Structure formats: C-alpha cells, structure tokens
Amino acid sequence: AVRELVASARGLGISRILFPVGNDFMNSDNAAGTTTAGTAQAQSEDSRWKKSYMTACQLLTDTIEELAAEFKVDVVVVSGNHDAERCFYIGEHLRAWFRQHPNVSIDNSPSQRKYYCFGETLIGYTHGNEEKKTDLPLIMANECKALWSRTRWREWHCGHLHTEITHEFGGVRVRFFPSL
C-alpha cells in the first residue's frame, strides 16, 4: 500500500512524508493476548506475541528506510486502545533505529495527542477513544496556542472507529480513518 501511494505521488513534487504509526497497529497489548484494558483478543496473534512484535518492528523499519531513501520522513506514533504499551515500545524501537538518520524524525512523546504543523496546516493526532469528537477543536486550540494562531487550516486524524468518517466542528475537520 505504501509503495502504491508513493508511486502515485512521485509526480506531485512531494519532498516530505508524514507517516503516522499506531492506532491499534497491534491488535493486542501483551503476552496474554488482551487489549490495554484487558479485553481478550482470541487468537489475535496465534499465541506468538514475540513474533508478531518483531514482525511489526521489521515491517515499519523497512518501510521507513525505503521512504527515507527518497524523502524526508516525519513519523508520528499514536497509541491505540488495543496496544498502548506495545505501540510505545515500537516507537522507541524506531526512535533508536533512526536516531542518526538525516531524513527521519520520530515523535514518540508520551502524550496521547500529537500535533504536526506543515505550512499553514495543523494536524492533530489522537486515537479518538478518550475525547469527544466535538471537543477536539477546542482541545487543539488550548493545547497548542502558538501553532493554532499561525495556521489557517486545522484537522484531527483519528483511528478508533476504524471506518472513514469526516465531520467539521467550528471550521476544524475531524477525520476517522480505517486501518489497512
């Protein structure tokens, strides 16, 4: 999927890629096969949680390396409600792996909500399970006043509903995206 997106974007003058990682990338959070809150995910990982974790790290590392060979890549790690701990660990793996790479930056800060500014656009990232979607514009305005004041367009990108939905509240788009 990433290769197809990059191939279709090549002729558009793209110089930088924003690559969000997480939002329940892993279906469970621990060796017991449960979500962060303890909900059982029957056979979600075929009882091989170490293998699935290693595979996830390898897949993301390979993808980012491939992208970084051609573009600057900004990775934003957004934990989900299924995999809050594992997502953080994956982010730390990526931060360590790419710590000296000139084309890669990793935001694995512990905050549930992350912000990314590109030109006059401010994008907020959160999984979307802890906030009411109608509250997100005000949360953004309060948490990052300086970025809010210097941007014209503002959006939230969320993943919790695992379906494509777009709302607009007070001029701020709130989008929910499905997983691949």
Side-chain angles (χ1 to χ4, degrees), residues 2-179:
V2 171
R3 285 185 186 129
E4 287 178 24
L5 286 169
V6 169
S8 65
R10 268 201 184 90
L12 301 175
I14 305 294
S15 61
R16 181 171 226 98
I17 291 179
L18 174 57
F19 189 63
V21 169
N23 277 318
D24 294 339
F25 186 71
M26 305 290 293
N27 193 41
S28 65
D29 206 25
N30 53 47
T34 69
T35 65
T36 305
T39 304
Q41 299 297 301
Q43 299 183 8
S44 65
E45 296 186 66
D46 195 5
S47 303
R48 296 178 291 179
W49 64 274
K50 291 177 184 176
K51 181 180 180 188
S52 67
Y53 179 79
M54 290 168 36
T55 301
C57 287
Q58 190 65 56
L59 173 68
L60 291 169
T61 301
D62 291 349
T63 301
I64 294 166
E65 282 183 340
E66 189 171 328
L67 293 171
E70 200 169 339
F71 307 97
K72 294 212 177 275
V73 181
D74 298 320
V75 178
V76 178
V77 182
V78 184
S79 65
N81 64 318
H82 280 228
D83 63 352
E85 288 183 26
R86 276 190 175 173
C87 190
F88 180 76
Y89 303 149
I90 288 171
E92 284 302 284
H93 162 80
L94 295 173
R95 197 173 63 79
W97 188 274
F98 292 104
R99 73 184 177 281
Q100 295 181 340
H101 198 295
N103 286 345
V104 179
S105 70
I106 308 286
D107 179 357
N108 192 41
S109 58
S111 173
Q112 176 67 21
R113 293 181 291 276
K114 312 279 175 73
Y115 297 97
Y116 185 87
C117 192
F118 186 78
E120 294 184 279
T121 302
L122 175 59
I123 304 171
Y125 282 94
T126 189
H127 188 59
N129 61 307
E130 293 186 5
E131 311 89 355
K132 291 181 183 177
K133 62 187 173 203
T134 55
D135 292 343
L136 287 171
L138 190 55
I139 289 171
M140 179 184 275
N142 282 314
E143 286 186 346
C144 54
K145 292 176 176 92
L147 293 176
W148 178 275
S149 68
R150 71 174 210 228
T151 55
R152 291 179 57 187
W153 299 283
R154 300 164 191 110
E155 290 198 4
W156 277 98
H157 293 180
C158 311
H160 182 60
L161 300 179
H162 300 284
T163 188
E164 193 166 338
I165 301 171
T166 301
H167 300 281
E168 192 163 318
F169 306 104
V172 178
R173 280 201 182 115
V174 177
R175 300 177 191 258
F176 286 83
F177 294 101
S179 60

